[in-house]
């Protein structure tokens, strides 16, 4: 953001803000759409890949804006103070607000992911997990030697999707996604067992 005529500075700031707004709108729309459609690989890729890149670029932009257009009250701006018009001041504030909004959304996406995993897991357990006499050992000719069909189906529908998406992420993001998905899955399972008072005996 080099110094220049006020009209040029307004154009540059306006373009920066419009680009950030468009990128955030596109990312949030896609993320929510993928989660609603239970397309976890795409959801994880866009929220742990594209969104993180946008967040880093917005951080850089905010630093540039702050360096060129210090906020009123800054004691020692890093560059010679540029006299700002009211419009420039507003655009700078909007850019900072947009960066904050992207930061907040970036922090919320994994909570959305956990909630989605838990909701889907609970729905599958409600529809497929046997109850009552099915679990009484005394009524079984022998102990089971393989996982229950409901458990395999639930794991594939939820954890299989999580694993598929996590493979596309950096290693540190893989661990976070798998941990949250697995925790949500197990919480839904335990809550279903407690709600329906299923006993394994």
């Amino acid at each position: 953001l080099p110094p220049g005529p006020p009209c040029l500075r307004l154009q540059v700031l306006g373009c920066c803000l419009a680009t950030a707004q468009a990128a955030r709108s596109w990312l949030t729309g896609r993320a929510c759409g993928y989660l609603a459609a239970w397309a976890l690989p795409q959801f994880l890729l866009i929220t742990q890949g594209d969104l993180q890149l946008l967040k880093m670029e917005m951080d850089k932009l905010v630093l540039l804006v702050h360096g060129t257009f210090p906020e009123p009250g800054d004691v020692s701006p890093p560059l010679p103070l540029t006299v700002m018009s009211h419009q420039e001041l507003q655009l700078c504030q909007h850019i900072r607000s947009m960066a904050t909004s992207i930061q907040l959304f970036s922090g919320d996406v994994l909570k959305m992911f956990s909630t989605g995993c838990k909701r889907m897991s609970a729905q599958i357990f409600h529809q497929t997990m046997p109850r009552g006499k099915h679990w009484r050992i005394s009524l079984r000719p022998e102990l089971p030697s393989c996982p229950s069909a409901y458990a395999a189906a639930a794991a594939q529908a939820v954890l299989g999707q999580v694993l598929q998406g996590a493979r596309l992420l950096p290693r540190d993001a893989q661990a976070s996604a798998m941990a949250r998905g697995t925790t949500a899955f197990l919480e839904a399972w335990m809550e279903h067992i407690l709600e329906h008072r299923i006993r394994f005996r």
Side-chain angles (χ1 to χ4, degrees), residues 17-195:
L17 178 60
T19 301
Q21 288 174 330
R24 185 193 184 282
S25 178
W26 183 85
L27 279 168
T28 54
R30 285 299 179 97
C32 293
Y34 285 141
L35 189 60
W38 199 242
L40 292 191
Q42 292 87 340
F43 174 83
L44 288 172
L45 188 59
I46 201 171
T47 58
Q48 302 306 302
D50 296 349
L51 178 58
Q52 303 310 311
L53 178 60
L54 175 61
K55 185 174 69 171
M56 289 189 295
E57 293 302 319
M58 282 302 298
D59 290 342
K60 294 177 185 177
L61 177 60
V62 168
L63 288 175
L64 285 172
V65 168
H66 179 71
T68 308
F69 301 96
E71 294 184 81
D74 282 353
V75 178
S76 55
L79 294 175
L81 188 63
T82 300
V83 178
M84 283 192 292
S85 67
H86 178 68
Q87 288 176 301
E88 288 172 335
L89 178 61
Q90 281 191 320
L91 286 171
C92 290
Q93 290 173 341
H94 287 322
I95 288 173
R96 294 185 182 102
S97 296
M98 182 57 56
T100 300
S101 175
I102 291 170
Q103 288 276 3
L104 291 173
F105 182 68
S106 178
D108 287 341
V109 289
L110 284 180
K111 296 177 185 176
M112 294 167 53
F113 170 70
S114 295
T115 301
C117 287
K118 189 171 182 177
R119 182 176 61 249
M120 178 60 71
S121 300
Q123 181 179 334
I124 294 172
F125 292 139
H126 179 75
Q127 294 173 350
T128 64
M129 186 174 182
R131 302 175 194 171
K133 295 181 180 180
H134 176 85
W135 300 107
R136 293 186 183 177
I137 297 177
S138 60
L139 300 179
R140 287 175 169 268
E142 58 184 17
L143 293 176
S145 58
C146 60
S148 299
Y150 89 91
Q156 179 58 39
V158 179
L159 299 183
Q161 286 264 334
V162 175
L163 180 59
Q164 185 180 349
R167 288 174 178 168
L168 306 173
L169 305 177
R171 187 171 296 275
D172 56 340
Q174 288 180 356
S176 179
M178 287 302 303
R180 284 179 174 267
T182 303
T183 299
F185 181 84
L186 293 175
E187 284 180 351
W189 184 61
M190 289 300 299
E191 288 176 9
H192 181 81
I193 290 171
L194 292 173
E195 179 184 354

